[in-house]
């Protein structure tokens, strides 16, 4: 007695979404002016294997603010992983740098016009420029004068001040006219 053949159809489907894992921290604080290199994310899937996924979005490393990078992956069967995100906060905590133009110590003849060479500043975020000193030089009165250069960047970081010393001297002999 032969039994009737019974058939079972098994349909194998992939309905499981891949898993995304952020490499590194989900929240990153990054110093402005420095190159930002993202750690990306990895994906793993039962059928497709695993790999690395690059973020969509961008980080402007020269502009303080918060930037969101998104990571997505869809497997070969159309199953999309849940989007993972990383927030990169660009901050400016680096003070600008001041550099005196010319000599730091100057001897100047009394009675002659004094023109200061000023100082320059440079900053990752703000760029660079010229700064004028506070203080003054009275060329009619021999003595020692200090000119101090200050600069504060747009993020409130204060440069270390630099100082120029100008010594006004009267070394010119008087002229006697008969």
């Amino acid at each position: 007695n032969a039994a009737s053949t019974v058939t079972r159809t098994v349909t194998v489907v992939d309905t499981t979404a891949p898993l995304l894992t952020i490499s590194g921290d989900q929240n990153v604080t990054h110093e402005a002016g420095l190159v930002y290199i993202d750690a990306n994310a990895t994906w793993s899937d039962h059928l497709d294997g695993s790999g690395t996924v690059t973020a969509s979005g961008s980080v402007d490393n020269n502009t303080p603010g918060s930037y969101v990078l998104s990571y997505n992956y869809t497997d070969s069967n159309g199953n999309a992983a849940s989007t993972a995100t990383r927030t990169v906060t660009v901050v400016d905590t680096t003070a600008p740098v001041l550099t005196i133009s010319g000599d730091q110590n100057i001897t100047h003849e009394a009675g002659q016009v004094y023109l200061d060479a000023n100082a320059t500043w440079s900053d990752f975020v703000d760029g660079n420029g010229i700064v004028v000193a506070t203080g003054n030089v009275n060329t009619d009165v021999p003595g020692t004068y200090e000119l101090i250069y200050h600069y504060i960047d747009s993020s409130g970081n204060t440069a270390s001040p630099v100082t120029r010393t100008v010594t006004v001297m009267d070394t010119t002999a008087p002229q006697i006219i008969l």
Side-chain angles (χ1 to χ4, degrees), residues 31-32 92-98 121-126 151-153 155-161:
E31 185 64 31
D92 179 12
T93 62
T94 302
V97 175
L98 285 172
W121 59 267
S122 62
D123 184 70
F124 285 134
V125 174
D126 295 345
Y151 183 74
I152 299 173
D153 70 14
S155 296
N157 301 307
T158 303
S160 295

Side-chain angles (χ1 to χ4, degrees), residues 42-136:
T42 59
W43 59 268
S44 61
D45 184 70
H46 294 301
L47 293 178
D48 292 352
S50 61
T52 301
V53 63
T54 303
S56 62
S58 64
V59 174
D60 182 350
N61 60 310
N62 291 315
T63 304
S66 290
Y67 301 89
V68 177
L69 301 176
S70 297
Y71 306 89
N72 297 298
Y73 181 75
T74 301
D75 70 15
S76 60
N77 289 303
N79 299 306
S82 294
T83 300
T85 60
R86 178 187 330 269
T87 301
V88 179
T89 304
V90 176
V91 296
D92 179 12
T93 62
T94 302
V97 175
L98 285 172
T99 305
I100 282 187
S101 301
D103 294 330
Q104 189 170 5
N105 297 301
I106 294 177
T107 301
H108 185 77
E109 185 63 32
Q112 302 295 315
V113 174
Y114 175 75
L115 296 174
D116 191 55
N118 298 314
T120 59
W121 59 267
S122 62
D123 184 70
F124 285 134
V125 174
D126 295 345
N128 54 55
I130 295 174
V131 63
V132 177
T134 58
N136 58 42

Side-chain angles (χ1 to χ4, degrees), residues 8-28:
R8 178 175 303 186
T9 303
V10 177
T11 304
V12 177
V13 294
D14 178 10
T15 59
T16 303
L19 177 65
L20 278 177
T21 305
I22 290 179
S23 302
D25 294 330
Q26 189 171 5
N27 296 301
V28 174

